[in-house]
Amino acid sequence: MKVEVITLFPAFVEQVITAGIPRKAVDTGALQFHARDLRDYSEGADRRVDDRPYGGGPGMVMEPGPLSDAITAAKAAIGSSAKVIAMSPQGVAMSQALMKQLSAEPGLILICGRYEGLDERVTPQIDLEVSLGDFVLSGGELAAMVLVDAVARLLPGVLGHEGSAEADSFSVGLLDHPHYTRPPVWRDAAVPEVLLSGDHAKIARWRLKQALGATFLKRPDLIEKLSLSGPHAELLREFLSERSGEKNQTSK
Ligand code: SAH
């Protein structure tokens, strides 16, 4: 996948590929990343890309000319089929489903706004607006970096174990199951017996049960959306009865 980020702060945005999985995605060639400095497309010698809003009011607006030229240059660099995404609090909310969908694109061009946002007339050049959540950031850079991180780990071959994104929270509409590592007993807390059993079918069943339980307790809205199958509903009942059993134990 080829990603271009259009920004006033290219050095800041590049931080996202300096560590962890996004860095690995670049090192292995799964991800090609470039931060494009919007100021290089300024129409004046002063490298300005913003101006006062028509109609008055506070703040500045990003001029359409430099943005449009930067999008054209980004498309020339990574292909005209690249999807142009403006980071915006007015966009569709980021979700694992959206990240999965975007990870199948050959190219993404991410536009980071600053100030009051973009001149409305660049809208025809934008395919999609994406939001990090219902709050207002001072710029689109952090949202773009979040998107790059979430997409990079879904690119083929990037995560060590091919299946390891599959069990992640949201991938199948459930939260992830709990994880344990050594030591087997830590401050009186033992790792659940079943995980030491070596019985893979039993372990898979236990993990699914815990995932159903965690989702029911923490995100009941997700469980409602799923309309659980008979066996899954049974596993969830089992989780809940074991849990109330444990609670009664501790209250005695
Ligand atoms: N006046 C605008 C906000 C401008 S904030 C409005 O109320 O809609 C400046 C820039 O920060 C935006 O252009 C956008 O690129 C980015 N931004 C702010 N909040 C964001 C969010 N929740 N998700 C993604 N980008 C955001």
Side-chain angles (χ1 to χ4, degrees):
M1 168 182 279
K2 295 178 178 168
V3 175
E4 282 267 349
V5 181
I6 297 172
T7 171
L8 289 175
F9 301 97
F12 174 47
V13 171
E14 272 159 12
Q15 294 301 311
V16 71
I17 54 153
T18 61
I21 299 290
R23 178 181 178 156
K24 188 179 163 210
V26 169
D27 288 347
T28 60
L31 176 66
Q32 185 185 308
F33 180 92
H34 178 238
R36 191 169 289 271
D37 192 342
L38 183 60
R39 290 199 192 284
D40 291 345
Y41 302 88
S42 167
E43 284 153 354
D46 54 2
R47 291 175 61 80
R48 270 185 77 144
V49 293
D50 61 306
D51 210 333
R52 288 187 302 277
Y54 276 116
M60 302 297 273
V61 176
M62 294 176 83
E63 298 166 11
L67 275 169
S68 177
D69 289 349
I71 294 169
T72 303
K75 283 197 167 175
I78 67 168
S80 56
S81 64
K83 211 180 183 84
V84 180
I85 299 177
M87 310 320 298
S88 166
Q90 303 181 13
V92 297
M94 290 190 195
S95 65
Q96 191 64 13
L98 177 68
M99 299 305 179
K100 180 95 196 166
Q101 200 185 313
L102 294 179
S103 70
E105 294 285 336
L108 300 176
I109 298 170
L110 309 179
I111 303 173
C112 305
R114 281 272 154 180
Y115 320 115
E116 293 304 318
L118 321 181
D119 186 302
E120 194 62 26
R121 290 167 294 179
V122 294
T123 307
Q125 281 168 273
I126 290 164
D127 299 315
L128 183 69
E129 290 184 309
V130 171
S131 170
L132 187 55
D134 286 346
F135 43 82
V136 179
L137 298 164
S138 55
E141 285 77 11
L142 286 170
M145 290 158 86
V146 167
L147 192 155
V148 169
D149 181 295
V151 165
R153 61 194 295 289
L154 296 175
L155 297 177
V158 171
L159 288 188
H161 184 257
E162 264 301 327
S164 72
E166 304 282 285
D168 280 338
S169 295
F170 312 114
S171 285
V172 291
L174 291 175
L175 301 182
D176 198 3
H177 58 76
H179 301 270
Y180 295 87
T181 185
R182 289 188 290 183
V185 179
W186 181 75
R187 294 188 182 168
D188 294 337
V191 171
E193 200 61 45
V194 56
L195 297 179
L196 311 175
S197 70
D199 183 334
H200 295 297
K202 252 191 181 165
I203 292 170
R205 184 177 184 279
W206 181 87
R207 285 182 168 162
L208 177 58
K209 180 167 70 181
Q210 300 302 319
L212 285 161
T215 311
F216 178 86
L217 296 175
K218 296 180 191 175
R219 291 291 303 274
D221 57 309
L222 293 179
I223 287 283
E224 254 169 56
K225 273 191 220 152
L226 278 176
S227 56
L228 294 183
S229 70
H232 284 185
E234 183 51 45
L235 266 183
L236 178 56
R237 268 194 293 278
E238 194 176 306
F239 173 89
L240 292 170
S241 80
E242 285 169 8
R243 185 166 177 270
S244 70
E246 278 165 26
K247 273 197 167 164
N248 290 340
Q249 283 282 313
T250 47
S251 62
K252 264 177 205 161

